[in-house]
Amino acid sequence: MTTRVLPWTPPSSTDVEMVQVGPHWDAVRAPEALGERALALLGGATGAVIADYNLLYWLIHPGSAQHWRRIRQVQTLGTGRVETTYIGVPPIDRTSGPYLHWRVPLGPGRYLTDANRLREALVRAAVAELGTQEEGDR
């Protein structure tokens, strides 16, 4: 079954907007060190990424990470979860931190990250950073 992605744009005001994960996109959260390594592995294949202090959030198609095997220190948020999750989304022009900002800004052709590529990059980053890829692997 194909999930239709609903039209969505980030806030145009100066305030952060709390957006429900799921209707427009799901999110994958990783700690900054792991996330930065995954970003380097993804290169130009990454979509938009939100940074919030020491965490990075990738936006992905709803449901595309629903059945991932758990990667240490990485959390998938959105479709298929019992709880409703919201994340803070910065205004479109906030592209530097340390506060909530776009680590990789949205732009033409840069919106959602391919979940399979992201998972591969995060697994490789976890092996490099943590010496293990998935929970239970020791």
Side-chain angles (χ1 to χ4, degrees):
M1 178 172 93
T2 302
T3 303
R4 185 175 150 259
V5 177
L6 302 174
W8 176 82
T9 57
S12 57
S13 68
T14 58
D15 293 330
V16 169
E17 183 178 307
M18 296 305 292
V19 177
Q20 183 179 346
V21 179
H24 307 291
W25 35 257
D26 283 357
V28 175
R29 178 175 64 201
E32 184 177 37
L34 188 67
E36 287 294 337
R37 188 175 288 264
L39 268 176
L41 290 167
L42 284 166
T46 191
V49 179
I50 296 171
D52 188 8
Y53 291 94
N54 63 344
L55 296 171
L56 296 182
Y57 294 84
W58 279 265
L59 307 182
I60 61 171
H61 284 281
S64 60
Q66 189 172 352
H67 301 292
W68 279 11
R69 184 169 174 200
R70 182 141 165 70
I71 303 167
R72 202 165 151 211
Q73 296 189 2
V74 173
Q75 186 173 12
T76 58
L77 308 168
T79 306
R81 304 286 179 226
V82 174
E83 71 281 352
T84 301
T85 305
Y86 291 82
I87 64 170
V89 176
I92 190 68
D93 61 350
R94 189 177 301 167
T95 57
S96 62
Y99 306 110
L100 189 73
H101 65 281
W102 290 100
R103 170 64 180 80
V104 178
L106 271 89
R110 181 170 285 147
Y111 177 37
L112 301 178
T113 300
D114 177 272
N116 293 327
R117 283 187 176 180
L118 175 58
R119 186 177 193 297
E120 181 182 324
L122 287 167
V123 166
R124 289 177 58 198
V127 168
E129 287 288 316
L130 309 170
T132 185
Q133 58 185 4
E134 298 170 315
E135 292 223 6
D137 292 353
R138 297 202 187 214

